[in-house]
């Protein structure tokens, strides 16, 4: 890895992320986690760089996490809030981006309620020939790469804290439960978890487990490993080993059976345009993660949730706060180290070897 370079200028999706890139992010994040454990938690890695946080949609965790990560790397941070910006005077998103570019932004971290906005800004920047990097911090129902990468880092760190790497999750069973339809987190996680060689089991009510998945991956009667009895493997017509590791269930039990990790997702009421659920109470009864339901999983199972959580809906309040079972706080902590890694790689174009000295 000596003198290796990072060549991906924009991070917009994990669809084409390579195993070597995942492992570089995991190793770099581990180095920055070590920095964050020091008394002085700041390094001059991106001194003189400008990171613009362009969040056109509300956010607590992601925006603060990117801001702190950039500051820990000594970058200058510009924060944009749509309510108080010139957007309300009719400025387009692209003109907003160009304004930040004129102020010297090296990296733009973009969140928008519409899918494809970060991609459109990145293409526009390429067209005008500028070197700025664009990071997708969540676009509509499309993708949320940094959340999936911090989830991956959290999962791998449970298995080997010192040396988190993709291969650790091979053949693990990971259940993703809840509102898959509206979840950009689920989409990015499916790409990264499939890349590890894990078995990914999606579970939720038929109205929230996308028909798109069922259409894209034609169902076949093939069965796989532990999922044998209950799963519907979604195998594309031209079956590839990647997609054979993705299963859909409309009941929660087969997804939880023998699972090593359970990811729950928020019911994204703000994105629901139709009445897709009878009631939150009924949803909790059928799909909520509770201590009883966790008995179906492997011993040592851990639970994740990207937040914000609807307490008592997708997960019981008691489990959410259980330090043995819940990785929710670790996910937030991991987020800063992972975003430091991503900003560092994009900003410097260099791969870090070992600890930051
Ligand atoms: C997620 C998001 O915004 O997509 N949250 C996050 O970034 N931590 C998930 C959600 O809103 O439910």
């Amino acid at each position: 890895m000596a003198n290796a370079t990072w060549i991906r200028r924009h991070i917009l999706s994990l669809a084409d992320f390579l195993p070597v890139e995942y492992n570089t992010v995991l190793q770099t994040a581990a180095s920055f986690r070590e920095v964050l454990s020091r008394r002085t938690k700041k390094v001059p890695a991106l001194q003189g760089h400008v990171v613009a946080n362009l969040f056109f949609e509300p956010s607590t965790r992601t925006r603060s996490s990117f801001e702190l990560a950039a500051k820990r790397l000594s970058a200058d941070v510009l924060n944009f809030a749509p309510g108080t910006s010139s957007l309300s005077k009719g400025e387009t998103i692209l003109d907003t981006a160009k304004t930040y570019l004129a102020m010297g932004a090296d990296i733009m971290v973009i969140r928008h309620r519409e899918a494809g906005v970060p991609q459109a800004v990145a293409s526009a920047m390429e067209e005008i020939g500028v070197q700025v990097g664009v990071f997708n911090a969540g676009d509509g129902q499309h993708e949320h790469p940094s959340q999936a990468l911090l989830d991956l880092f959290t999962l791998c760190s449970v298995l080997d804290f010192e040396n988190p790497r993709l291969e650790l999750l091979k053949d693990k069973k990971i259940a993703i439960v809840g509102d898959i339809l509206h979840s950009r987190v689920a989409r990015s996680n499916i790409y990264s978890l499939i890349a590890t060689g894990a078995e990914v089991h999606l579970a939720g009510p038929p109205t929230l487990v996308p028909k798109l998945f069922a259409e894209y991956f034609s169902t076949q009667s093939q069965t796989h490993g532990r999922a044998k009895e209950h799963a519907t493997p979604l195998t594309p017509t031209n079956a590839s080993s990647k997609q054979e590791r993705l299963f859909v269930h409309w009941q929660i039990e087969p997804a939880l059976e023998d699972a090593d990790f359970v990811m729950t997702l928020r019911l994204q009421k703000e994105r629901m345009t139709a009445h897709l659920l009878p009631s939150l109470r009924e949803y909790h009864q059928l799909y909520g993660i509770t201590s009883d339901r966790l008995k179906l999983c492997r011993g040592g199972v851990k639970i994740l949730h990207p937040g914000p959580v609807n307490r008592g809906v997708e997960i019981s309040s008691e489990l959410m706060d259980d330090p043995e079972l819940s990785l929710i706080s670790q996910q937030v902590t991991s987020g800063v180290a992972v975003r430091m890694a991503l900003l560092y790689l994009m900003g410097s174009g260099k791969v870090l070897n070992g600890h930051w000295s």
Side-chain angles (χ1 to χ4, degrees), residues 326-343:
S326 165
L327 295 176
I328 298 174
S329 301
Q330 269 113 299
Q331 286 173 277
V332 177
T333 307
S334 297
V336 180
V338 169
R339 290 181 173 114
M340 283 174 83
L342 295 166
L343 292 174

PDB file of all heavy atoms in Angstrom, residues 326-343:
ATOM      1  N   SER A 326     -27.173  -2.974  22.001  1.00  0.00           N
ATOM      2  CA  SER A 326     -27.340  -1.892  21.034  1.00  0.00           C
ATOM      3  C   SER A 326     -26.012  -1.256  20.642  1.00  0.00           C
ATOM      4  O   SER A 326     -25.193  -0.905  21.491  1.00  0.00           O
ATOM      5  CB  SER A 326     -28.265  -0.835  21.646  1.00  0.00           C
ATOM      6  OG  SER A 326     -28.168   0.352  20.915  1.00  0.00           O
ATOM      7  N   LEU A 327     -25.811  -1.109  19.334  1.00  0.00           N
ATOM      8  CA  LEU A 327     -24.596  -0.435  18.824  1.00  0.00           C
ATOM      9  C   LEU A 327     -24.898   0.994  18.387  1.00  0.00           C
ATOM     10  O   LEU A 327     -24.095   1.622  17.700  1.00  0.00           O
ATOM     11  CB  LEU A 327     -24.031  -1.219  17.632  1.00  0.00           C
ATOM     12  CG  LEU A 327     -23.507  -2.637  17.888  1.00  0.00           C
ATOM     13  CD1 LEU A 327     -23.076  -3.282  16.574  1.00  0.00           C
ATOM     14  CD2 LEU A 327     -22.333  -2.622  18.865  1.00  0.00           C
ATOM     15  N   ILE A 328     -26.070   1.510  18.780  1.00  0.00           N
ATOM     16  CA  ILE A 328     -26.517   2.805  18.241  1.00  0.00           C
ATOM     17  C   ILE A 328     -25.543   3.941  18.589  1.00  0.00           C
ATOM     18  O   ILE A 328     -25.183   4.740  17.728  1.00  0.00           O
ATOM     19  CB  ILE A 328     -27.962   3.114  18.700  1.00  0.00           C
ATOM     20  CG1 ILE A 328     -28.911   2.040  18.141  1.00  0.00           C
ATOM     21  CG2 ILE A 328     -28.405   4.498  18.227  1.00  0.00           C
ATOM     22  CD1 ILE A 328     -30.347   2.115  18.629  1.00  0.00           C
ATOM     23  N   SER A 329     -25.070   3.973  19.850  1.00  0.00           N
ATOM     24  CA  SER A 329     -24.114   5.045  20.193  1.00  0.00           C
ATOM     25  C   SER A 329     -22.784   4.839  19.480  1.00  0.00           C
ATOM     26  O   SER A 329     -22.153   5.805  19.040  1.00  0.00           O
ATOM     27  CB  SER A 329     -23.829   5.067  21.696  1.00  0.00           C
ATOM     28  OG  SER A 329     -25.002   5.268  22.373  1.00  0.00           O
ATOM     29  N   GLN A 330     -22.379   3.570  19.375  1.00  0.00           N
ATOM     30  CA  GLN A 330     -21.107   3.308  18.652  1.00  0.00           C
ATOM     31  C   GLN A 330     -21.199   3.777  17.198  1.00  0.00           C
ATOM     32  O   GLN A 330     -20.229   4.251  16.639  1.00  0.00           O
ATOM     33  CB  GLN A 330     -20.752   1.816  18.635  1.00  0.00           C
ATOM     34  CG  GLN A 330     -19.892   1.385  19.787  1.00  0.00           C
ATOM     35  CD  GLN A 330     -20.680   0.456  20.684  1.00  0.00           C
ATOM     36  OE1 GLN A 330     -21.708   0.856  21.237  1.00  0.00           O
ATOM     37  NE2 GLN A 330     -20.227  -0.772  20.849  1.00  0.00           N
ATOM     38  N   GLN A 331     -22.394   3.614  16.600  1.00  0.00           N
ATOM     39  CA  GLN A 331     -22.554   4.070  15.208  1.00  0.00           C
ATOM     40  C   GLN A 331     -22.285   5.576  15.121  1.00  0.00           C
ATOM     41  O   GLN A 331     -21.589   6.031  14.213  1.00  0.00           O
ATOM     42  CB  GLN A 331     -23.984   3.790  14.709  1.00  0.00           C
ATOM     43  CG  GLN A 331     -24.246   2.328  14.405  1.00  0.00           C
ATOM     44  CD  GLN A 331     -25.722   2.111  14.081  1.00  0.00           C
ATOM     45  OE1 GLN A 331     -26.547   1.974  14.979  1.00  0.00           O
ATOM     46  NE2 GLN A 331     -26.056   2.099  12.815  1.00  0.00           N
ATOM     47  N   VAL A 332     -22.836   6.321  16.069  1.00  0.00           N
ATOM     48  CA  VAL A 332     -22.646   7.781  16.030  1.00  0.00           C
ATOM     49  C   VAL A 332     -21.163   8.119  16.227  1.00  0.00           C
ATOM     50  O   VAL A 332     -20.597   8.943  15.504  1.00  0.00           O
ATOM     51  CB  VAL A 332     -23.529   8.472  17.100  1.00  0.00           C
ATOM     52  CG1 VAL A 332     -23.275   9.971  17.117  1.00  0.00           C
ATOM     53  CG2 VAL A 332     -25.010   8.186  16.843  1.00  0.00           C
ATOM     54  N   THR A 333     -20.518   7.433  17.179  1.00  0.00           N
ATOM     55  CA  THR A 333     -19.092   7.690  17.430  1.00  0.00           C
ATOM     56  C   THR A 333     -18.261   7.307  16.204  1.00  0.00           C
ATOM     57  O   THR A 333     -17.390   8.070  15.769  1.00  0.00           O
ATOM     58  CB  THR A 333     -18.635   6.885  18.672  1.00  0.00           C
ATOM     59  OG1 THR A 333     -19.522   7.190  19.742  1.00  0.00           O
ATOM     60  CG2 THR A 333     -17.218   7.227  19.071  1.00  0.00           C
ATOM     61  N   SER A 334     -18.550   6.137  15.645  1.00  0.00           N
ATOM     62  CA  SER A 334     -17.820   5.690  14.441  1.00  0.00           C
ATOM     63  C   SER A 334     -17.962   6.690  13.311  1.00  0.00           C
ATOM     64  O   SER A 334     -17.062   6.853  12.482  1.00  0.00           O
ATOM     65  CB  SER A 334     -18.408   4.373  13.895  1.00  0.00           C
ATOM     66  OG  SER A 334     -18.276   3.335  14.797  1.00  0.00           O
ATOM     67  N   GLY A 335     -19.124   7.357  13.258  1.00  0.00           N
ATOM     68  CA  GLY A 335     -19.425   8.275  12.158  1.00  0.00           C
ATOM     69  C   GLY A 335     -18.357   9.342  11.989  1.00  0.00           C
ATOM     70  O   GLY A 335     -17.989   9.692  10.862  1.00  0.00           O
ATOM     71  N   VAL A 336     -17.837   9.849  13.092  1.00  0.00           N
ATOM     72  CA  VAL A 336     -16.849  10.936  12.988  1.00  0.00           C
ATOM     73  C   VAL A 336     -15.545  10.391  12.379  1.00  0.00           C
ATOM     74  O   VAL A 336     -14.987  10.985  11.448  1.00  0.00           O
ATOM     75  CB  VAL A 336     -16.601  11.598  14.369  1.00  0.00           C
ATOM     76  CG1 VAL A 336     -15.575  12.722  14.247  1.00  0.00           C
ATOM     77  CG2 VAL A 336     -17.906  12.122  14.954  1.00  0.00           C
ATOM     78  N   ALA A 337     -15.080   9.249  12.873  1.00  0.00           N
ATOM     79  CA  ALA A 337     -13.828   8.668  12.346  1.00  0.00           C
ATOM     80  C   ALA A 337     -13.979   8.298  10.869  1.00  0.00           C
ATOM     81  O   ALA A 337     -13.074   8.525  10.055  1.00  0.00           O
ATOM     82  CB  ALA A 337     -13.437   7.438  13.166  1.00  0.00           C
ATOM     83  N   VAL A 338     -15.139   7.736  10.520  1.00  0.00           N
ATOM     84  CA  VAL A 338     -15.345   7.321   9.125  1.00  0.00           C
ATOM     85  C   VAL A 338     -15.415   8.552   8.217  1.00  0.00           C
ATOM     86  O   VAL A 338     -14.825   8.579   7.130  1.00  0.00           O
ATOM     87  CB  VAL A 338     -16.624   6.449   8.996  1.00  0.00           C
ATOM     88  CG1 VAL A 338     -17.010   6.229   7.546  1.00  0.00           C
ATOM     89  CG2 VAL A 338     -16.404   5.111   9.699  1.00  0.00           C
ATOM     90  N   ARG A 339     -16.093   9.598   8.671  1.00  0.00           N
ATOM     91  CA  ARG A 339     -16.192  10.801   7.817  1.00  0.00           C
ATOM     92  C   ARG A 339     -14.847  11.522   7.744  1.00  0.00           C
ATOM     93  O   ARG A 339     -14.511  12.126   6.723  1.00  0.00           O
ATOM     94  CB  ARG A 339     -17.326  11.688   8.308  1.00  0.00           C
ATOM     95  CG  ARG A 339     -18.658  10.989   8.018  1.00  0.00           C
ATOM     96  CD  ARG A 339     -19.871  11.768   8.434  1.00  0.00           C
ATOM     97  NE  ARG A 339     -21.061  11.089   7.977  1.00  0.00           N
ATOM     98  CZ  ARG A 339     -21.979  10.537   8.783  1.00  0.00           C
ATOM     99  NH1 ARG A 339     -21.849  10.582  10.096  1.00  0.00           N
ATOM    100  NH2 ARG A 339     -23.038   9.915   8.273  1.00  0.00           N
ATOM    101  N   MET A 340     -14.044  11.446   8.824  1.00  0.00           N
ATOM    102  CA  MET A 340     -12.674  11.982   8.731  1.00  0.00           C
ATOM    103  C   MET A 340     -11.924  11.225   7.634  1.00  0.00           C
ATOM    104  O   MET A 340     -11.241  11.822   6.800  1.00  0.00           O
ATOM    105  CB  MET A 340     -11.931  11.804  10.060  1.00  0.00           C
ATOM    106  CG  MET A 340     -12.318  12.809  11.128  1.00  0.00           C
ATOM    107  SD  MET A 340     -11.539  12.436  12.718  1.00  0.00           S
ATOM    108  CE  MET A 340      -9.909  13.176  12.496  1.00  0.00           C
ATOM    109  N   ALA A 341     -12.072   9.908   7.636  1.00  0.00           N
ATOM    110  CA  ALA A 341     -11.381   9.082   6.636  1.00  0.00           C
ATOM    111  C   ALA A 341     -11.824   9.471   5.228  1.00  0.00           C
ATOM    112  O   ALA A 341     -10.999   9.666   4.329  1.00  0.00           O
ATOM    113  CB  ALA A 341     -11.665   7.598   6.895  1.00  0.00           C
ATOM    114  N   LEU A 342     -13.130   9.620   5.040  1.00  0.00           N
ATOM    115  CA  LEU A 342     -13.649   9.913   3.700  1.00  0.00           C
ATOM    116  C   LEU A 342     -13.212  11.299   3.223  1.00  0.00           C
ATOM    117  O   LEU A 342     -12.777  11.461   2.084  1.00  0.00           O
ATOM    118  CB  LEU A 342     -15.182   9.800   3.707  1.00  0.00           C
ATOM    119  CG  LEU A 342     -15.703   8.380   3.977  1.00  0.00           C
ATOM    120  CD1 LEU A 342     -17.192   8.400   4.315  1.00  0.00           C
ATOM    121  CD2 LEU A 342     -15.438   7.468   2.778  1.00  0.00           C
ATOM    122  N   LEU A 343     -13.289  12.279   4.113  1.00  0.00           N
ATOM    123  CA  LEU A 343     -12.870  13.637   3.727  1.00  0.00           C
ATOM    124  C   LEU A 343     -11.369  13.664   3.451  1.00  0.00           C
ATOM    125  O   LEU A 343     -10.897  14.309   2.512  1.00  0.00           O
ATOM    126  CB  LEU A 343     -13.222  14.644   4.835  1.00  0.00           C
ATOM    127  CG  LEU A 343     -14.721  14.906   5.061  1.00  0.00           C
ATOM    128  CD1 LEU A 343     -14.923  15.801   6.282  1.00  0.00           C
ATOM    129  CD2 LEU A 343     -15.371  15.533   3.824  1.00  0.00           C
TER     130      LEU A 343
END
